Amino acid sequence: MITLENVSKVYHTKSGDVQAVNNVDLKIEKGEIFGIIGYSGAGKSSLIRLLNGLEKPTKGTITVAGHRIDTIRGAKLRQARLEISMIFQHFNLLWSRTVRDNISFPLEIAGVKKQERLKRVNELIKLVGLEGREDAYPSQLSGGQKQRVGIARALANNPKVLLCDEATSALDPQTTDSILDLLVDINKRLGLTIVLITHEMHVVRKICNRVAVIEAGNIVEQGEVLELFRNPQQQITKRFLNQDSEPEETVEQLRAHYSDGKVLKLSFIGESTEQPLITNLIRHFDVNVNILQGKISQTQNGAYGTLFIQLIGENSVINQAIAFIEENKIGVEVIENE
């Protein structure tokens, strides 16, 4: 569905050349939700602009929904963009138009007849959950409702690809989750390929099948979301994962307050989240187990979680318990006192 081969983008400025995207290779399959995560200035926005033809690559080839986006121009590019739609962080709605008229706008541009437009708009309003708000103006809508209008408008021409540029960054956590749930529903109902640009690992974890991590214009790591949680290779990936789990101050507090025995950080992936680990530890080893805190979260490909526990007992027995945990394919990190 989407293929990038050896794609680079260099901006020529008065102060010198800026390498925004550097030799990127990506393949995104039809119907998947693919995340591209990176911090500000990493090259995310440049990459998404290359995907819809707003920018041309300095080198490399870009194919989206069967179109060579890096070479086509004019009418052919406009036609291709009917199949490549986009939603934005700040909604980009027409403030003088109602919800219905905003959604109808791309159909008007495409020359769709009025009755057909009205039918399609009503379908989309129902799809995104905006019944009863058809005649409201953007100023009368919440942030989540505005983004639902943006999504409906992006779907008006039945695109094959939906590009999401920081689509939830301006929303509160609860509204973010509702929009992400909507995107998953749309993906399943329509078989739409979704590319999601973000700096929030929570967003990637919740809805993406696969993810690429971008840093300084380079894709430094990519793969299935669950596999990245299981085995992150790059330091920047680990930073994103920490952002989505326990804060650093929590680890420091655990070091300071629990000095007896050993404090362990356990990492669960997939089926390991379903094991009765604590019961087995108590049953097989002469140790006291103190549960300090924990969290299990779901991804599109399975569950992952972290659990902090304190083991109190003979040092040799504690080491045997740690070996037992590792044998059960659960990650173990001993939180040492500094």
Side-chain angles (χ1 to χ4, degrees):
M1 176 56 71
I2 300 174
T3 305
L4 288 79
E5 296 180 344
N6 199 30
V7 171
S8 293
K9 177 63 181 179
V10 178
Y11 293 101
H12 303 289
T13 69
K14 292 180 180 180
S15 56
D17 291 348
V18 177
Q19 182 90 45
V21 177
N22 186 31
N23 295 327
V24 165
D25 292 304
L26 275 180
K27 188 170 184 179
I28 300 170
E29 302 295 340
K30 181 179 179 181
E32 78 171 321
I33 304 178
F34 191 93
I36 299 174
I37 188 167
Y39 290 110
S40 297
K44 306 188 302 297
S45 295
S46 293
L47 191 57
I48 204 168
R49 288 171 66 84
L50 290 168
L51 291 178
N52 65 10
L54 288 174
E55 299 281 357
K56 293 296 182 183
T58 306
K59 69 170 184 176
T61 62
I62 302 171
T63 304
V64 182
H67 302 282
R68 276 289 302 274
I69 300 300
D70 57 296
T71 58
I72 59 174
R73 285 174 170 77
K76 289 186 177 180
L77 179 58
R78 288 193 293 273
Q79 185 64 35
R81 283 182 179 152
L82 294 177
E83 300 181 11
I84 309 166
S85 205
M86 192 163 175
I87 58 175
F88 306 88
Q89 178 179 357
H90 297 296
F91 322 124
N92 287 17
L93 302 181
L94 299 170
W95 293 89
S96 61
R97 285 180 169 241
T98 64
V99 167
R100 180 182 283 111
D101 291 338
N102 263 282
I103 299 170
S104 179
F105 186 62
L107 297 171
E108 294 174 30
I109 294 174
V112 177
K113 293 181 180 179
K114 185 175 181 180
Q115 283 301 112
E116 191 176 342
R117 286 203 312 265
L118 183 60
K119 180 182 177 183
R120 178 62 176 155
V121 168
N122 287 337
E123 291 172 352
L124 291 167
I125 285 173
K126 185 176 180 180
L127 177 66
V128 301
L130 285 173
E131 299 99 321
R133 304 297 286 162
E134 298 93 334
D135 298 318
Y137 288 89
S139 61
Q140 299 170 308
L141 302 177
S142 67
Q145 289 171 332
K146 290 172 188 172
Q147 194 57 282
R148 287 173 186 269
V149 177
I151 292 170
R153 181 183 61 185
L155 298 176
N157 284 312
N158 292 301
K160 296 178 180 178
V161 175
L162 179 63
L163 306 176
C164 306
D165 188 8
E166 298 280 9
T168 59
S169 294
L171 305 175
D172 63 73
Q174 185 175 355
T175 306
T176 290
D177 282 346
S178 71
I179 294 298
L180 295 178
D181 288 340
L182 175 61
L183 290 175
V184 171
D185 182 56
I186 289 168
N187 169 258
K188 290 178 179 177
R189 288 196 194 192
L190 307 180
L192 195 66
T193 303
I194 298 177
V195 181
L196 200 149
I197 300 289
T198 185
H199 65 275
E200 299 172 298
M201 184 54 83
H202 162 74
V203 171
V204 169
R205 170 180 58 76
K206 187 171 176 65
I207 72 168
C208 294
N209 307 113
R210 293 190 301 132
V211 61
V213 182
I214 186 169
E215 183 179 28
N218 297 282
I219 300 296
V220 297
E221 191 163 2
Q222 62 177 301
E224 291 189 1
V225 170
L226 199 58
E227 183 58 34
L228 249 69
F229 277 98
R230 176 188 287 118
N231 189 29
Q233 297 297 308
Q234 301 297 321
Q235 193 60 40
I236 187 173
T237 309
K238 294 175 183 177
R239 285 173 62 193
F240 277 119
L241 295 180
N242 287 336
Q243 161 194 315
D244 191 52
S245 55
E246 77 287 340
E248 188 62 32
E249 57 266 24
T250 298
V251 177
E252 296 297 334
Q253 288 168 359
L254 292 174
R255 286 194 182 107
H257 291 103
Y258 297 95
S259 56
D260 294 339
K262 289 186 178 180
V263 174
L264 309 180
K265 175 187 174 183
L266 308 182
S267 300
F268 301 82
I269 300 289
E271 293 179 0
S272 66
T273 59
E274 301 173 7
Q275 296 183 37
L277 177 67
I278 303 302
T279 300
N280 288 334
L281 285 175
I282 296 171
R283 183 177 294 164
H284 292 102
F285 301 96
D286 185 19
V287 292
N288 291 323
V289 182
N290 183 15
I291 298 174
L292 306 180
Q293 69 171 41
K295 175 184 177 184
I296 292 179
S297 302
Q298 295 293 326
T299 75
Q300 289 296 302
N301 302 107
Y304 83 96
T306 58
L307 179 67
F308 288 90
I309 65 173
Q310 180 186 30
L311 296 184
I312 301 174
E314 294 291 335
N315 200 51
S316 60
V317 179
I318 291 176
N319 289 336
Q320 291 172 17
I322 291 173
F324 173 81
I325 295 170
E326 292 173 334
E327 287 169 7
N328 283 271
K329 298 181 179 179
I330 295 170
V332 182
E333 178 186 348
V334 178
I335 307 300
E336 302 283 2
N337 289 321
E338 294 183 344

